[in-house]
Amino acid sequence: MKRARLIALGILVLCLVSLGTAIFLKAGSKAKRGRAPAVPPVEIGGIEYRAPNTVDTKGCIEAWDTRTDTLLWRKKVYHTLWIPFEEEDVQWVFIKSMTVGPSGNELIVVNEAGDAYTVKTDPRMQPGTAAMIGIVLLVCAIAVLLLARARKTKRESGYSKI
């Protein structure tokens, strides 16, 4: 019993020392990156696309109506992998440039890692609309299958209403 307590206490002390070392190393680190790049906005069909490039909007673009200066939508173009106990700011990957794509209604977004993404800018199909349509169709298909199965089960049971 006494030996088990000593082993448990030793493991607890080792965990606390490891945690304290990780926190100390993280707190003592200095920022190693400069400011986020300033990306000039791109206008397509009366809509201005902006990359805010803040800590909270890494990898996001925004669509603004130029006539009313109102935000139409914000879309996350890419996600970055977060590694715990690593310096936060050196893991940030901001948008470096935006240009109009070859079709004229798409946006080419390039981040600091050199990855390029194509974003459709068709105003009729806002981000998330296609996904929402797909989800609705899937739910409808599942409902039809469940109703068909329920009718088949009712017919096979041999019971009928009098």
Side-chain angles (χ1 to χ4, degrees), residues 111-131:
N111 66 13
E112 292 177 316
D115 301 320
Y117 302 89
T118 303
V119 179
K120 301 280 185 201
T121 60
D122 186 4
R124 293 171 294 162
M125 186 66 86
Q126 298 243 344
T129 305

Side-chain angles (χ1 to χ4, degrees), residues 44-136:
I44 301 173
I47 297 175
E48 188 175 85
Y49 298 92
R50 304 175 187 172
N53 275 353
T54 64
V55 174
D56 296 327
T57 59
K58 296 180 297 286
C60 289
I61 59 170
E62 297 175 341
W64 289 78
D65 186 343
T66 54
R67 290 171 291 148
T68 60
D69 199 34
T70 56
L71 176 67
L72 300 173
W73 50 262
R74 177 181 290 151
K75 179 179 181 172
K76 186 84 165 173
V77 178
Y78 60 88
H79 297 274
T80 54
L81 181 64
W82 176 256
I83 302 170
F85 300 117
E86 288 287 321
E87 293 180 37
E88 233 179 282
D89 58 341
V90 296
Q91 296 185 62
W92 297 339
V93 180
F94 292 105
I95 293 173
K96 183 170 68 173
S97 69
M98 288 190 309
T99 55
V100 178
S103 70
N105 69 344
E106 61 188 13
L107 198 61
I108 306 297
V109 177
V110 179
N111 66 13
E112 292 177 316
D115 301 320
Y117 302 89
T118 303
V119 179
K120 301 280 185 201
T121 60
D122 186 4
R124 293 171 294 162
M125 186 66 86
Q126 298 243 344
T129 305
M132 188 60 99
I133 291 170
I135 290 171
V136 168

Side-chain angles (χ1 to χ4, degrees), residues 133-147:
I133 291 170
I135 290 171
V136 168
L137 290 175
L138 180 64
V139 168
C140 289
I142 291 171
V144 168
L145 289 173
L146 289 175
L147 284 172

Side-chain angles (χ1 to χ4, degrees), residues 21-39:
T21 303
I23 291 171
F24 175 75
L25 290 176
K26 184 172 172 79
S29 63
K30 299 267 190 230
K32 293 202 173 25
R33 67 163 291 132
R35 298 180 132 216
V39 180

